[in-house]
Amino acid sequence: MQKRNVIKNVCLIVILSIAVAVGLNCLLLFADIAQYSERYQEATVVLYSPPFIQQILYSGILIPILEELLFRGLMFRLLRRWIAFPWAMVFSAVVFGAYHGNIVQFIYATICGVLLAYLCEKYDSIIAPVLSHMMMNLVSIILTQAGVFAWVMDSGVKVLFIVAFCVATGVFALYMLQKMDVTKVLKIYCKDMGNDI
């Protein structure tokens, strides 16, 4: 029963992260603001030119771990000592967005940063935001390389349908996560890892 709660939490985080990544990517691609940002176009070349396996290893796994250690593990937690959660969440998310250095990634990373800070606060751990960040990056890489986003962009109806589906799915997953008591999940996880809370 308790292990089932851990699995349920992980599944909800994964579903929420995928919904946010796909929905935001579709909206930003549809808005076509990338054409106004030369720095984003340069960043895209850097991100998507290495071999696929390197993209998965670096952008999908290593970078999320390092960024979460820095932005949620260090910055957000320090801010939480001095200011209330909503302010710490927003401030750390805006800094996270600005760190990416262009308007497209600023919008995307700021919105994702809000979710990542929420998960860090809810679980009192960076494990949940690391998992979420990895999922968002991996989904973006895989769907971009598979041509899924290009396929979606050829029709406004597809974009509307996918964004609406992602919003509904994301809201449902967030609602379910909000209802969950994660203290039991954390105790199970820490016991499995040989730590006590």
Side-chain angles (χ1 to χ4, degrees), residues 89-107:
M89 176 177 67
V90 170
F91 183 78
S92 65
V94 169
V95 172
F96 181 57
Y99 158 81
H100 286 81
N102 61 74
I103 188 65
V104 178
Q105 287 181 301
F106 172 78
I107 295 167

Side-chain angles (χ1 to χ4, degrees), residues 34-46:
Q35 67 177 319
Y36 304 110
S37 176
E38 190 176 316
R39 294 185 80 185
Y40 173 72
Q41 293 168 18
E42 292 167 2
T44 302
V45 171
V46 171

Side-chain angles (χ1 to χ4, degrees), residues 66-181:
L66 295 173
E67 288 181 347
E68 289 314 304
L69 287 171
L70 177 63
F71 287 100
R72 260 59 62 181
L74 183 63
M75 179 189 288
F76 174 73
R77 287 190 170 177
L78 285 174
L79 286 169
R80 280 296 284 126
R81 292 181 184 174
W82 300 316
I83 58 179
F85 167 65
W87 296 109
M89 176 177 67
V90 170
F91 183 78
S92 65
V94 169
V95 172
F96 181 57
Y99 158 81
H100 286 81
N102 61 74
I103 188 65
V104 178
Q105 287 181 301
F106 172 78
I107 295 167
Y108 183 88
T110 299
I111 294 168
C112 292
V114 168
L115 170 62
L116 296 168
Y118 163 79
L119 291 171
C120 187
E121 178 79 3
K122 180 158 182 74
Y123 289 91
D124 193 24
S125 166
I126 64 162
I127 294 170
V130 164
L131 172 64
S132 177
H133 196 154
M134 283 181 178
M135 288 310 305
M136 288 188 276
N137 284 15
L138 288 169
V139 164
S140 296
I141 292 165
I142 292 166
L143 295 184
T144 298
Q145 293 296 357
V148 172
F149 289 126
W151 173 77
V152 170
M153 287 305 115
D154 69 14
S155 166
V157 174
K158 287 182 197 171
V159 174
L160 182 63
F161 175 77
I162 289 172
V163 169
F165 180 77
C166 287
V167 168
T169 303
V171 167
F172 173 75
L174 188 60
Y175 171 75
M176 294 301 292
L177 271 176
Q178 189 62 32
K179 282 179 39 175
M180 298 200 74
D181 177 12

Side-chain angles (χ1 to χ4, degrees), residues 6-17:
V6 174
I7 293 168
K8 188 174 181 183
N9 273 266
V10 168
C11 289
L12 287 170
I13 291 168
V14 167
I15 290 166
L16 177 59
S17 304

